[in-house]
């Protein structure tokens, strides 16, 4: 039948159907004005009046054509809108799926999420869980104190007298250079058998405890052997605790001597390099061993502090910073004649990860010069501690001074600032080998309730920079039961592989007395800890009743998240706690700041807010409405919140009591049904206890089917809610196939697939062969298209994700498609919910051709309009594609379709990478708004080390002249050099790695870093808009218009004639960053509260034990002996590194 001619601007009935072009040919038109034989009636494209030819702007380079007028492009936009809507109405099946749900109304109930009741129940469940751990902690702490009190100190105890399982024994036996292999182990080490336990993600032995002793502590010392002796009795208490509560995970006693005894026993996870783990430096130990601290570190940088000594000071300061937690505040200053901060921080700042990083970098820049001025340093420190106009810990106050020695006692400064109350403790550190009189340093510490330490070499740094915690623990011990309060830590990575955990901590006190009538011992024995895995807490929260975009979160007094779906640190085995602020886990705004403050204050609350959310793939920003509800978790420092979209107020609960129907629907999960009913992906959820998980969905489905052949959906070992909803949605989506998809010809409308995904965990893709190219997450709640469709009305386009660093898309085998999806809104009475998302997958190439046709002046589907030599026509996107650029861009700024064939392989890329000039113009004209944020959980590859051929940094290298000078051999420099060499022989890896790198290979291990993320989203402009990109002879006209009911922007522009206007390029890809400027952030710190308890003073404290020791003058005989040992390569027997508190720990 002949098709009648149409005038310019006329339309044709039905959606345009253009099949995929043949290779090397034009499009294959498939006219069918009658439509398919069956199915719903086709919508007609809107008929528009003929276009009026108003005065037109002539396009450069196209004398016969002019740039399209605004109403012409609006006409094209309406064509595109109706084409999309028509295809989605025919194939999406939104209305049909609504009818299917209503037809099956007897198979499900509609349940309501009541936010206040939900959040209170979950908070109560978490409180009960943690309370059980608290009871176990108290039993352990009480038992430890009693065991130690009953223990009798043994001066002559020997290694062979002690039986224990050394957690590092297996690793040391494999290492021929280990301490035990070098000197021959004398311990009666236990050899244990282990069984795999999925709860611990490890092999364990439930009959024994394991012991870990830091590498730099001598296992055979009297102190350590006595510690091992009395802590052995804890084994039975550990075992009894587990009997009473089988859900207990690691139970740990961290001793102040450095010994760690934990249960159940498991081999230590030995790092590739030297093991620097010391329990006293772990976040949970530090938090449990002392109250919060305000600390000022002052460093002597006078001219006498030369090479090696300055290096030791820098390292000591960094190690000292590592003993601080987020509850502490700190500043670091250097002094000679004057004192000044080493960094941009002019006052005390929170000792969080990022601030400590600033300090550590700044300390490396210290330079020694001038003369020593203790007065300047101490006056600066006291002024810092007296500043009450800033946020700080307001508990323990202390000054840590590092110096190589001096004679001034600055008594006048202490009289002015600290006496008689002595509220500030002073700790002094004599660094390096020297002949100075250390009496003034000892006096400073002893008269100000502090302690004096010596750091003669690198090996003494770690131990002596953490011993001050014992002094701070004195008021806690003397407070007795009042200080026995359980504290819960920030989130951190478990050293034994449990993953993210929080730890309940309880200090263990020394209850002994030195003799009859003597004062009570004031030493802390250590800290008891019990881990709780975050996954165990998550199991107490609603899993799937909140919908894809509802979630539960929890924060602590610092505002750091304990639970949050965005808490996903990318690195493991890091030494710092995971401190992700709630305002960094989400996109910050004023409403969330108010919610955070209220939660930290322990209040209840509810608030509905309009806010921005980032898509799961971090490419898009959506403006949404969310309801926040929060309550405190009693007996803890945590607060719990619930976030719920309005459409998730209700949810479906299947009621499949008919077992015949269960079997019928279940059959549609069998692969044998896929050819006729479409491929089914099931969400990898915990449907049953015995279901084997798998990352391969085909294998997971196989495991699921095999299990269902053995159990019923009503089995007690299964989650009946999940199973019934899964089976119900299997049947409902099958009915969609039967009613809508099966009889449609997808090729006719250039579709690669149609699909439906549901809250119940079903994703059905039709036809079956389309599943081969389906790359979306089988868990709908983790699929970006699913979550965005729920949050946005209309049709959401999702082009394939393309990284600008990767090669372009390969257009072959009909596999490249563009997803279009929309939510199914179901109204049942007055209750509205969105239980499913449906959509289509467009054939990219075919729809690019269709796009040209719809944005053209064709008068007939088969013939494009052509202008004669004397006629004057408007350009269109088909005929004039050499001069006119026509694109569809989504709301994130990513290219979806283009009339330029060479751009088809760039679909999915940020449009600035395709046409930077035009994207910048769209942004400048408010079509797009930019949102920048920071990802503090990213992982970055290690930077390649520089100066590979250089000597180890910081090691003093003497010259030939030094060796020939006898005075040099008797100097402190030579003595320090030999100490380094000797230490290097015993701990050879010190020369190979810095302490921060020693727990893993920097060549292979990724490290945590900050990444800057930039997303774009639609701005305030909704109307059609014409503009010009002004650039002289290179100026370009463009028109942009939002397509109604979609997330698309239709843009028509002149192609650039030259590149002189390439003045800027918008960036969207994630980039490495140092984060926001810390020096500015500390001027407006976020609201926080410290722990509710503080123990920094006790009138009965005995401060007489305040450090002792004198400089050790080098002996020429000793130097010669050491030199001979070095030359012969015979390392001396390692001596025990016993801190100065050792004698006080005896009974």
């Amino acid at each position: 039948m002949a098709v009648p001619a149409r005038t310019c601007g006329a339309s044709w009935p039905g959606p345009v159907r253009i099949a995929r072009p043949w290779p090397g040919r034009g499009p294959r038109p498939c006219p069918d004005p009658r439509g398919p034989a069956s199915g719903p009636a086709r919508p007609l494209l809107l008929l528009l009046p003929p276009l009026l030819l108003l005065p037109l702007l002539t396009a450069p380079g196209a004398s016969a054509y002019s740039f399209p007028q605004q109403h012409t492009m609006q006409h094209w936009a309406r064509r595109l809108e109706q084409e999309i809507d028509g295809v989605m109405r025919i194939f999406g099946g939104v209305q049909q799926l609504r009818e299917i749900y209503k037809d099956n109304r007897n198979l499900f109930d509609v349940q309501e999420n009541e936010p206040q009741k939900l959040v209170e129940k979950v908070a109560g469940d978490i409180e009960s869980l943690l309370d059980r751990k608290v009871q176990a902690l108290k039993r352990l702490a009480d038992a430890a104190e009693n065991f130690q009190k009953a223990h009798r100190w043994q001066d002559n105890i020997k290694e062979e007298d002690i039986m224990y399982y050394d957690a590092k024994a297996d690793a040391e036996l494999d290492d021929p250079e280990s301490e035990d292999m070098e000197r021959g182990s004398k311990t009666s080490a236990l050899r244990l058998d282990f069984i795999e336990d999925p709860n611990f993600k490890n092999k364990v032995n439930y009959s024994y405890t394991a012991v870990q002793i830091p590498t730099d502590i001598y296992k055979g010392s009297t102190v350590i052997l006595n510690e091992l002796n009395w802590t052995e009795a804890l084994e039975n208490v550990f075992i009894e605790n587990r009997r009473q509560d089988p859900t207990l995970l690691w139970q740990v006693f961290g001793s102040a001597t450095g010994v760690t005894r934990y249960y159940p026993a498991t081999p230590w996870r030995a790092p590739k390099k030297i093991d620097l783990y010391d329990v006293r430096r772990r976040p949970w130990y530090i938090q449990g061993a002392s109250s919060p601290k305000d600390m000022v570190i002052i460093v002597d940088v006078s001219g006498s502090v030369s090479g090696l000594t300055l290096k030791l000071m820098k390292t000591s300061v960094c190690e000292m910073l590592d003993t601080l937690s987020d509850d502490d505040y700190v500043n670091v200053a250097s002094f000679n004649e004057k004192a000044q901060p080493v960094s941009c921080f002019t006052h005390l700042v929170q000792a969080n990860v990022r601030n400590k990083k600033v300090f550590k970098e700044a300390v490396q820049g210290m330079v020694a010069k001038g003369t020593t001025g203790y007065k300047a340093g101490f006056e600066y420190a006291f002024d810092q501690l007296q500043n009450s106009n800033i946020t700080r810990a307001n508990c323990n106050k202390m000054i840590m001074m590092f110096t190589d020695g001096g004679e001034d006692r600055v008594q006048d400064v202490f009289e002015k600032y600290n006496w008689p109350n002595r509220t500030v403790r002073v700790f002094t550190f004599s660094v390096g080998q020297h002949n100075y009189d250390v009496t003034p340093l000892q006096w400073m510490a002893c008269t100000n309730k502090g302690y004096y330490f010596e750091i003669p070499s690198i090996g003494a740094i770690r131990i002596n920079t953490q011993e001050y915690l014992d002094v701070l623990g004195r008021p806690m011990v003397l407070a007795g039961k009042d200080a026995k309060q359980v504290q819960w830590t920030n989130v951190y990575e478990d050293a034994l592989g449990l993953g993210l955990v929080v730890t309940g901590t309880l200090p263990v006190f020394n209850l002994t007395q030195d003799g009859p009538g003597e004062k009570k011992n004031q030493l802390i024995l250590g800290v008891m800890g019990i881990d709780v895995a975050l996954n165990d807490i998550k199991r107490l929260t609603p899993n799937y009743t909140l919908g894809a975009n509802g979630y539960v979160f929890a924060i602590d007094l610092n505002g750091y998240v304990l639970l949050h779906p965005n808490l996903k640190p990318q690195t493991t085995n890091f030494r710092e706690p995971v401190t992700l602020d709630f305002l960094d886990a989400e996109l910050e705004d004023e409403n969330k700041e108010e919610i955070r403050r209220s939660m930290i204050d322990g209040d209840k609350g509810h608030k509905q807010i309009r806010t921005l959310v980032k898509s799961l793939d971090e490419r898009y920003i959506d403006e949404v409405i969310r309801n926040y509800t929060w309550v405190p978790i009693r007996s803890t420092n945590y607060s719990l919140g619930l976030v719920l979209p309005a459409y998730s107020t209700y949810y479906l609960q299947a009621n499949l009591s008919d077992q015949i129907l269960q079997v019928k629907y279940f059959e549609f999960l069998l692969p044998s049904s896929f050819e006729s009913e479409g491929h089914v992906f099931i969400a990898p959820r915990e449907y049953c206890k015995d279901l084997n998980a798998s990352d391969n969905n085909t294998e997971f489905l196989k495991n699921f089917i095999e299990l269902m052949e053995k159990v019923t959906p009503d089995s007690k070992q299964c989650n009946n809610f999940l199973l019934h909803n899964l089976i119900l949605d299997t049947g409902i989506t099958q009915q969609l196939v039967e009613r809508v998809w099966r009889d449609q010809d997808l090729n006719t409308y250039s579709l690669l697939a149609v699909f439906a995904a549901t809250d119940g965990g079903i994703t059905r893709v039709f036809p079956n062969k389309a599943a081969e190219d389906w790359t979306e997450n089988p868990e709908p709640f983790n699929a970006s298209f699913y979550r965005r469709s729920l949050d946005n009305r209309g049709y959401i386009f999702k082009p394939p994700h393309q990284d600008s660093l990767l090669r372009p898309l390969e257009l072959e085998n009909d596999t490249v498609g563009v997803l279009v999806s929309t939510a199914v809104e179901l109204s049942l009475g007055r209750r509205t919910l969105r239980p499913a998302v449906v959509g289509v997958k467009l054939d990219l190439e075919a729809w690019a051709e269709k796009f040209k046709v719809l944005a053209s002046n064709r008068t007939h589907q088969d013939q494009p309009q052509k202008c004669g030599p004397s006629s004057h026509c408007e350009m269109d996107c088909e005929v004039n594609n050499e001069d006119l650029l026509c694109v569809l861009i989504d709301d994130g700024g990513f290219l979806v379709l283009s009339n330029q064939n060479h751009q088809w392989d760039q679909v999915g890329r940020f449009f600035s990478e395709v046409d930077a000039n035009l994207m910048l113009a769209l942004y400048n004209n408010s079509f797009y708004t930019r949102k920048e944020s920071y990802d503090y959980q990213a992982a970055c590859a290690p930077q390649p080390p520089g100066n590979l051929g250089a000597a180890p940094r910081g090691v003093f290298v003497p010259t030939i002249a030094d060796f020939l000078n006898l005075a040099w051999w008797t100097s402190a420099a030579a003595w320090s050099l030999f100490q380094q060499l000797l230490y290097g022989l015993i701990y050879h890896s010190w020369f190979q790695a810095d302490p921060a790198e020693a727990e893993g290979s920097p060549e292979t291990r990724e490290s945590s870093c900050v990444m800057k993320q930039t997303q774009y989203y639609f701005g305030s402009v909704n109307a059609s808009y014409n503009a010009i990109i002004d650039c002289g002879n290179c100026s370009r006209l463009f028109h942009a218009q939002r397509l109604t009911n979609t997330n698309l922007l239709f843009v028509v522009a002149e192609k650039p004639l030259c590149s002189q206007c390439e003045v800027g390029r918008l960036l969207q890809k994630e980039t490495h960053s140092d984060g926001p400027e810390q020096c500015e952030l500390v001027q407006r710190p976020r609201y926080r509260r410290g722990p509710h308890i503080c123990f920094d003073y006790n009138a009965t404290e005995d401060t007489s034990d305040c450090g002792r020791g004198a400089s050790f003058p080098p002996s020429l005989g000793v130097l010669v002996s050491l030199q001979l040992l070095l030359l012969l390569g015979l390392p001396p027997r390692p001596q025990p590194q016993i801190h100065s508190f050792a004698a006080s720990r005896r009974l």
Side-chain angles (χ1 to χ4, degrees):
M1 182 178 75
V3 180
R6 295 177 175 83
T7 58
C8 182
S11 183
W12 48 85
V16 178
R17 293 163 291 164
I18 299 180
R20 189 176 185 81
W22 290 357
R25 300 188 184 180
R28 294 180 57 206
C30 305
D32 188 358
R34 295 171 300 171
S38 61
R42 277 21 180 202
L44 297 180
L45 287 172
L46 188 64
L47 295 175
L48 296 177
L51 301 176
L52 301 177
L53 298 179
L54 298 176
L56 303 176
L57 293 169
T58 302
S63 57
Y65 296 91
S66 60
F67 191 77
Q69 295 187 75
Q70 182 170 343
H71 63 268
T72 300
M73 290 177 282
Q74 289 174 341
H75 168 67
W76 294 346
R78 282 191 289 272
R79 280 184 178 177
L80 291 166
E81 292 165 358
Q82 288 217 338
E83 184 69 18
I84 294 165
D85 185 67
V87 170
M88 287 298 291
R89 285 179 181 274
I90 295 170
F91 292 95
V94 173
Q95 184 58 41
Q96 294 89 332
L97 193 54
R98 288 196 192 106
E99 294 172 359
I100 292 171
Y101 273 111
K102 291 178 180 178
D103 292 344
N104 292 275
R105 183 63 184 82
N106 62 312
L107 299 181
F108 60 85
D109 299 320
V110 179
Q111 303 292 343
E112 182 178 1
N113 283 315
E114 299 180 70
Q116 193 65 39
K117 289 183 179 179
L118 266 178
V119 75
E120 287 179 354
K121 180 185 182 303
V122 175
D125 291 342
I126 294 176
E127 180 189 359
S128 298
L129 171 71
L130 299 184
D131 185 65
R132 293 196 298 272
K133 317 306 176 189
V134 167
Q135 299 309 313
L137 263 178
K138 290 180 177 179
R139 289 192 293 269
L140 282 168
D142 290 343
E145 289 171 350
N146 291 330
F147 292 150
Q148 196 272 345
K149 185 177 182 180
H151 175 256
R152 292 294 173 261
W153 180 272
Q154 301 178 45
D155 283 317
N156 299 320
I157 193 170
K158 299 179 180 179
E159 291 184 70
E160 51 264 33
D161 297 334
I162 304 299
M163 291 282 294
Y164 69 97
Y165 172 67
D166 184 350
K168 298 196 291 186
D170 294 337
E172 289 175 344
L173 287 174
D174 293 338
D175 182 6
E177 298 180 355
S178 70
E179 177 184 322
D180 283 351
M181 291 300 291
E182 287 179 355
R183 61 184 174 82
S185 178
K186 295 182 180 180
T187 58
S188 300
L190 295 172
R191 298 296 174 201
L192 304 181
D193 295 323
F194 302 95
I195 59 172
E196 193 72 38
D197 190 320
N199 294 322
F200 287 89
K201 302 178 182 177
N202 223 325
K203 292 182 177 181
V204 299
N205 184 305
Y206 284 113
S207 300
Y208 294 91
T209 58
V211 171
Q212 190 272 353
I213 301 175
T215 302
D216 52 354
I217 291 180
Y218 176 46
K219 297 177 183 179
S221 73
T222 306
V223 171
I224 298 302
L225 293 177
N226 275 277
E227 194 82 8
L228 293 173
N229 194 17
W230 77 259
T231 58
E232 182 183 0
L234 289 172
E235 198 165 87
N236 292 331
V237 187
F238 286 140
I239 294 172
E240 176 60 21
N241 271 347
R242 182 176 180 272
R243 188 191 66 79
Q244 295 188 31
D245 182 5
T247 66
L248 281 176
L249 296 174
W250 301 121
Q251 303 175 64
V252 187
F253 174 60
S255 168
T257 63
V259 172
T260 305
R261 188 179 286 272
Y262 59 90
Y263 175 86
T266 189
W268 191 249
R269 295 164 68 95
K272 295 180 179 179
K273 294 194 175 182
I274 187 171
D275 179 18
L276 293 180
Y277 180 93
D278 189 321
V279 68
R280 295 167 296 183
R281 306 185 80 85
R282 293 297 287 169
W284 65 270
Y285 184 95
I286 293 171
Q287 182 168 328
S290 64
S291 294
K293 303 173 279 294
D294 286 324
M295 177 187 290
V296 179
I297 302 172
I298 54 176
V299 186
D300 180 1
V301 292
S302 60
S304 63
V305 181
S306 58
L308 177 61
T309 302
L310 184 59
K311 167 67 176 178
L312 291 175
M313 286 186 180
K314 293 177 180 180
T315 306
S316 298
V317 172
C318 293
E319 291 290 336
M320 179 68 72
L321 290 169
D322 284 339
T323 67
L324 303 177
S325 72
D326 290 76
D327 291 332
D328 303 321
Y329 282 74
V330 65
N331 201 357
V332 182
S334 61
F335 70 90
N336 37 42
E337 302 92 341
K338 296 181 180 179
Q340 60 182 5
V342 298
S343 70
C344 58
F345 300 144
T346 58
H347 55 74
L348 292 171
V349 297
Q350 187 181 17
N352 58 38
V353 174
R354 292 189 288 279
N355 287 341
K356 287 192 289 188
K357 180 182 178 182
V358 173
F359 282 128
K360 290 178 181 180
E361 291 176 351
V363 162
Q364 301 307 317
M366 293 190 305
V367 177
K369 60 181 179 180
T371 59
T372 303
Y374 286 161
K375 183 174 182 178
F378 276 108
E379 285 184 339
Y380 178 89
F382 279 114
D383 287 339
Q384 290 277 299
L385 292 172
Q386 290 183 352
N387 184 358
S388 59
N389 297 323
I390 58 170
T391 304
R392 57 185 188 179
N394 287 317
C395 194
N396 285 294
K397 299 177 182 62
M398 67 201 67
I399 298 172
M400 325 297 277
M401 182 180 73
F402 293 88
T403 180
D404 64 342
E407 298 179 356
D408 189 2
R409 298 192 178 199
V410 290
Q411 182 172 340
D412 57 328
V413 175
F414 297 130
E415 290 175 346
K416 176 182 178 181
Y417 290 95
N418 205 35
W419 295 354
N421 295 327
R422 291 174 171 81
T423 56
V424 178
R425 297 181 188 268
V426 175
F427 296 85
T428 56
F429 298 81
S430 174
V431 184
Q433 291 288 344
H434 51 74
N435 291 314
Y436 298 123
D437 180 14
V438 299
T439 304
L441 299 181
Q442 291 175 317
W443 180 88
M444 291 178 192
C446 293
T447 56
N448 290 281
K449 298 171 64 175
Y451 211 92
Y452 164 74
F453 300 94
E454 291 183 356
I455 302 178
S457 63
I458 190 78
I461 291 177
R462 283 173 61 84
I463 287 180
N464 286 309
T465 53
Q466 64 197 23
E467 291 296 340
Y468 76 94
L469 292 172
D470 284 346
V471 177
L472 299 189
R474 290 172 182 172
M476 293 179 64
V477 178
L478 295 172
K481 292 183 179 180
D482 292 339
K484 302 284 286 189
Q485 299 190 33
V486 174
Q487 297 188 68
W488 290 96
T489 67
N490 298 326
V491 178
Y492 70 95
E493 182 80 21
D494 174 47
L496 290 171
L498 201 58
L500 295 181
V501 299
V502 292
T503 299
T505 65
L506 195 61
V508 180
F509 301 151
N510 191 330
L511 303 183
T512 62
Q513 293 181 337
D514 292 335
E518 295 292 331
K519 289 184 178 181
K520 179 182 176 183
N521 197 302
Q522 56 186 15
L523 288 177
I524 186 171
L525 289 177
V527 177
M528 200 66 73
I530 289 184
D531 289 345
V532 178
L534 289 196
N535 286 336
D536 289 343
I537 300 178
K538 288 179 184 177
R539 291 190 185 98
L540 302 176
T541 64
N543 279 335
Y544 301 101
T545 59
L546 303 180
N549 290 316
Y551 56 91
V552 171
F553 70 98
I555 67 173
D556 64 14
L557 294 179
N558 280 303
Y560 299 148
V561 294
L562 162 73
L563 296 175
H564 199 285
N566 294 335
L567 179 62
K568 302 173 183 177
Q570 300 300 307
T571 56
T572 57
N573 294 329
F574 40 78
R575 299 160 63 191
E576 296 283 357
V578 182
T579 53
L580 178 66
D581 197 283
F582 169 65
L583 297 178
D584 295 322
E586 305 193 358
L587 293 177
E588 182 177 358
D589 59 39
E590 291 182 359
N591 287 317
K592 290 176 183 174
E593 287 181 12
E594 293 178 10
I595 292 170
R596 178 181 177 275
R597 175 182 286 266
S598 178
M599 294 179 72
I600 290 174
D601 287 339
D603 299 329
K604 294 182 178 180
H606 174 83
K607 190 170 188 176
Q608 184 179 86
I609 66 173
R610 180 177 294 275
T611 187
L612 299 178
V613 297
K614 197 180 300 182
S615 68
L616 199 63
D617 57 11
E618 299 181 332
R619 287 160 61 87
Y620 299 94
I621 295 288
D622 291 312
E623 187 175 9
V624 300
I625 294 177
R626 293 286 191 264
N627 293 296
Y628 282 75
T629 308
W630 60 95
V631 298
I633 302 175
R634 293 185 295 272
S635 303
T636 72
N637 291 332
Y638 303 134
S639 184
L640 187 76
L642 171 67
V643 180
L644 206 62
Y647 55 77
S648 292
T649 303
Y650 300 97
Y651 64 93
L652 300 184
Q653 182 172 358
N655 182 18
L656 290 177
S657 57
D658 186 344
Q659 293 187 355
I660 297 177
L661 191 61
Q662 288 182 14
V663 173
K664 177 184 176 182
Y665 284 177
F666 179 77
E667 289 178 350
F668 296 127
L669 283 175
L670 301 178
S672 58
S673 70
F674 289 177
E675 196 58 40
S676 60
E677 312 300 332
H679 192 99
V680 174
F681 297 92
I682 66 171
R685 300 175 180 176
E686 297 181 15
Y687 300 103
C688 298
K689 294 180 181 178
D690 295 334
L691 178 58
N692 294 325
S694 175
D695 293 333
N696 184 296
N697 199 257
T698 301
E699 184 178 344
F700 181 74
L701 178 60
K702 178 176 176 290
N703 296 341
F704 176 80
I705 293 171
E706 289 177 352
L707 183 62
M708 288 297 100
E709 292 174 349
K710 301 174 184 176
V711 301
T712 67
D714 300 311
S715 172
K716 292 183 179 180
Q717 66 163 297
C718 297
N719 186 319
N720 304 137
F721 170 80
L722 291 182
L723 268 180
H724 280 249
N725 277 27
L726 180 79
I727 295 173
L728 172 65
D729 286 356
T730 302
I732 284 179
T733 55
Q734 185 277 332
Q735 292 177 44
L736 183 64
V737 176
E738 189 175 342
R739 295 191 189 185
V740 182
W741 296 345
R742 188 179 293 158
D743 296 328
Q744 297 290 351
D745 184 1
L746 302 185
N747 290 330
T748 302
Y749 289 88
S750 308
L751 303 181
L752 298 174
V754 287
F755 61 90
T758 70
D759 277 0
I762 290 293
T763 301
R764 189 179 292 275
V765 179
F766 185 89
N768 182 39
K769 66 178 182 179
E772 298 174 3
D773 302 312
W774 187 260
T775 58
E776 303 302 319
N777 197 309
E779 170 55 82
F781 285 13
N782 292 336
S784 183
F785 82 88
Y786 191 86
R787 296 172 66 161
R788 293 204 69 216
S789 296
L790 294 175
D791 272 335
N792 295 275
R793 294 190 176 276
Y795 308 123
I796 304 302
F797 282 69
K798 179 180 177 289
H801 185 186
Q802 275 210 79
D803 193 317
S804 60
L805 300 178
L806 301 179
R807 63 181 182 179
L809 289 172
E810 295 181 0
L811 298 175
E812 54 180 299
N813 301 325
D814 297 350
T815 58
V816 180
V818 176
L819 238 58
V820 188
S821 57
T822 187
V824 177
E825 188 164 280
L826 187 62
S827 296
L828 300 170
R830 295 183 177 181
R831 296 169 296 187
T832 302
L833 61 160
R834 298 175 186 173
V837 168
V838 296
V840 302
K841 191 174 185 180
L842 310 179
D843 183 320
L844 174 60
E845 255 189 285
W847 270 79
E849 291 292 346
K850 181 183 293 190
F851 171 55
K852 293 181 187 178
V853 173
L854 292 169
S856 72
N857 296 322
R858 280 200 186 198
T859 56
H860 190 279
Q861 285 195 30
D862 294 334
Q863 286 293 329
Q865 178 186 358
K866 296 185 182 291
C867 290
S870 59
S871 61
H872 191 81
C873 300
E874 291 179 316
M875 292 191 291
D876 67 29
C877 299
E878 182 183 26
V879 174
N880 308 100
N881 62 354
E882 293 183 0
D883 303 299
L884 202 62
L885 172 67
C886 304
V887 291
L888 290 178
I889 312 172
D890 69 14
D891 55 332
F894 298 97
L895 180 63
V896 176
L897 288 175
S898 172
N899 73 329
Q900 305 296 311
N901 292 22
H902 68 275
Q903 291 181 353
W904 291 355
D905 62 356
Q906 299 184 68
V907 165
R909 286 192 173 178
F910 186 57
F911 191 61
S912 186
E913 299 168 11
V914 181
D915 192 328
N917 188 242
L918 182 53
M919 184 63 197
L920 183 62
L922 294 172
Y923 173 73
N924 289 336
N925 285 278
S926 299
F927 280 100
Y928 285 96
T929 299
R930 178 167 56 195
K931 181 67 177 179
E932 294 180 341
S933 59
Y934 294 93
D935 177 10
Y936 294 101
Q937 305 177 89
C940 296
Q943 296 294 323
N947 301 323
L948 294 177
R953 282 174 42 189
V955 175
F956 175 66
V957 181
T959 64
I960 302 273
D962 288 327
F963 277 111
L964 297 177
N965 188 342
L966 181 62
W968 180 87
W969 283 92
T970 59
S971 71
W975 176 244
S976 294
L977 174 63
F978 280 122
Q979 274 207 322
Q980 289 182 53
L981 295 174
L982 182 61
Y983 191 84
L985 284 174
I986 301 172
Y987 303 113
H988 55 86
S989 62
W990 180 71
F991 285 98
Q992 300 172 4
D994 291 332
E997 298 174 347
E999 294 185 18
S1001 171
E1003 292 81 11
T1004 58
R1005 180 171 57 86
E1006 292 182 327
S1007 60
S1008 59
C1009 62
V1010 180
M1011 299 296 287
K1012 183 178 181 180
Q1013 295 182 340
T1014 306
Q1015 287 89 13
Y1016 293 80
Y1017 60 102
F1018 281 153
S1020 57
V1021 176
N1022 287 314
S1024 180
Y1025 191 88
N1026 283 324
I1028 186 169
I1029 303 173
D1030 189 8
C1031 189
N1033 294 332
C1034 296
S1035 297
R1036 300 169 64 188
L1037 297 170
F1038 77 91
H1039 167 89
Q1041 178 173 343
R1042 294 264 296 273
L1043 294 188
T1044 305
N1045 209 36
T1046 73
N1047 66 325
L1048 297 180
L1049 181 70
F1050 176 42
V1051 182
V1052 179
E1054 293 176 326
K1055 294 181 71 174
L1057 296 179
C1058 49
S1059 59
Q1060 297 174 11
C1061 289
E1062 298 288 343
V1063 293
R1065 179 186 293 269
L1066 297 178
L1067 298 177
Q1068 189 276 334
K1069 65 179 182 180
E1070 196 174 51
T1071 56
H1072 187 273
S1073 171
D1074 292 330
E1077 179 55 56
Q1078 287 297 117
C1079 303
E1080 297 177 4
L1081 287 182
V1082 296
Q1083 302 303 322
R1084 49 182 193 281
R1086 287 171 172 168
Y1087 181 72
R1088 67 172 296 275
R1089 291 180 64 184
H1092 303 301
I1093 56 175
C1094 172
F1095 298 96
D1096 62 341
Y1097 172 79
N1098 191 289
T1100 64
E1101 179 184 346
D1102 180 8
T1103 62
S1104 60
D1105 183 10
C1106 55
R1108 48 197 164 277
S1111 60
F1112 180 42
S1115 161
L1116 185 59
V1118 172
L1119 286 173
V1120 173
S1121 299
L1122 285 173
Q1123 178 66 5
L1124 291 174
L1125 285 171
L1126 292 170
L1127 293 174
L1128 294 173
L1130 299 175
R1133 175 188 175 92
Q1135 295 301 311
Q1137 295 191 27
I1138 303 174
H1139 49 72
S1140 50
F1141 291 114
S1144 302
R1145 299 191 184 283
R1146 301 182 182 182
L1147 295 181

